[in-house]
Amino acid sequence: TRAAEFREIARNGGDPAQERVRQAGRVITFETVARQTWAEKVDGVSKNEKASRQWLTKLETYAFPMIGSRPVAEISTSDVAEVLRPVWRSKPEVGKKMRQHMNMTFGFAKAKGWVSNNPVADVGDALPRQDATTRHYRALSWREVPALMRRLEATDGAGAVALRLAILTACRSGEIRGAMWSEFDRDQGLWEIPSERMKMARAHRVPITPSVAAVLAEIPHVGELLFESPRIPGKPVSDMTLLAVLRRLRVDATVHGFRSSFRDFAAEHGADHRVAELSLAHTVRGVEGAYQRSDLLDRRRALMNEWDRFLAGDSP
């Protein structure tokens, strides 16, 4: 019966293959495809559990109420634009992420034969230009950080300790929260973060300065994680644990912003560009990056010790 239907379509100048795709997509909703895309392409694949959850949360918040119940094959470029338009300029980062997630969803649907084209491909023509202004993480001036360290030292709780460690090492929040005792070599004075826990998927060696060693000595060695969630055994504390400390102390900054504070300190104190960038586990690009094979550990240790002394109030 279906073959007869497709022959009739062909006789009338239609494309049976396109009709087959349309019929398949007619009974599969956008939400169904998005959740399957997340399950197969994001969840369990992403190294960042929080980012994995947010991938689906953004679609649940902005897309599903508008097109979630619609057949995926019937969604047009104008439909996608309607989903993105409310956040495209007011929340540009959310808009960009949403566009990426929807593009992945329709790409998945196309690979499965549920749609014949990706309506996200041309959606840029239907949206206004975004503000090109770069939005930076809020950060304290490097000159203000030592005073904050004194306040953190007088603050109880794992969040304050984790935040001190983040500031001293200039590491990302996730690297601090997921830190394990087995990564620390006290004899070598090194914290070796494996590649699977790094944003750039490349192992990173962090010098253990005197203040870092002192902070480590304060942390009870109970399990493998330095900062284990009190509610979920075996899982690290959430990112909000550190941010909540800043809010409680009424500090207008983000946890990530202290990496900027450190970078400004390094620049103001004449640190070599490569040394400062490698201290932040950034990739050194260009010709110098292509030929740079060393992680400049000894020079980075000197810089981190200088940062340590400044935070302790021992240097200008």
Side-chain angles (χ1 to χ4, degrees), residues 137-280:
Y137 291 99
R138 297 192 307 281
L140 283 185
S141 163
W142 59 271
R143 293 180 176 85
E144 300 177 71
V145 183
L148 174 62
M149 291 295 281
R150 304 291 83 75
R151 297 179 67 192
L152 291 174
E153 289 165 4
T155 302
D156 294 329
V161 177
L163 187 54
R164 286 164 58 200
L165 193 60
I167 295 171
L168 284 163
T169 59
C171 284
R172 299 178 180 88
S173 171
E175 295 155 11
I176 295 295
R177 293 182 293 107
M180 301 183 182
W181 288 109
S182 58
E183 298 170 356
F184 292 86
D185 186 334
R186 306 290 185 89
D187 295 333
Q188 296 294 322
L190 282 176
W191 172 22
E192 301 194 41
I193 310 176
S195 59
E196 58 267 22
R197 290 212 309 106
M198 294 298 299
K199 179 180 180 180
M200 305 303 293
R202 186 173 59 189
H204 181 50
R205 298 193 295 174
V206 181
I208 297 178
T209 64
S211 293
V212 170
V215 171
L216 293 175
E218 296 178 25
I219 304 172
H221 195 154
V222 179
E224 175 62 5
L225 284 166
L226 273 67
F227 304 104
E228 187 175 71
S229 169
R231 291 185 292 274
I232 311 175
K235 293 289 186 179
V237 296
S238 72
D239 194 35
M240 283 302 299
T241 304
L242 281 68
L243 185 59
V245 176
L246 293 173
R247 290 180 176 175
R248 191 161 64 246
L249 297 177
R250 299 183 182 278
V251 176
D252 186 25
T254 62
V255 178
H256 197 89
F258 290 104
R259 287 166 54 83
S260 177
S261 303
F262 165 79
R263 188 62 182 84
D264 290 344
F265 168 87
E268 290 285 348
H269 288 72
D272 180 86
H273 168 76
R274 293 169 301 168
V275 175
E277 289 297 294
L278 288 171
S279 295
L280 292 166

Side-chain angles (χ1 to χ4, degrees), residues 59-82:
L59 293 180
E60 290 173 337
T61 303
Y62 300 104
F64 291 174
M66 298 180 70
I67 61 172
S69 61
R70 295 269 303 279
V72 68
E74 296 180 7
I75 296 173
S76 66
T77 297
S78 61
D79 294 325
V80 173
E82 286 303 307

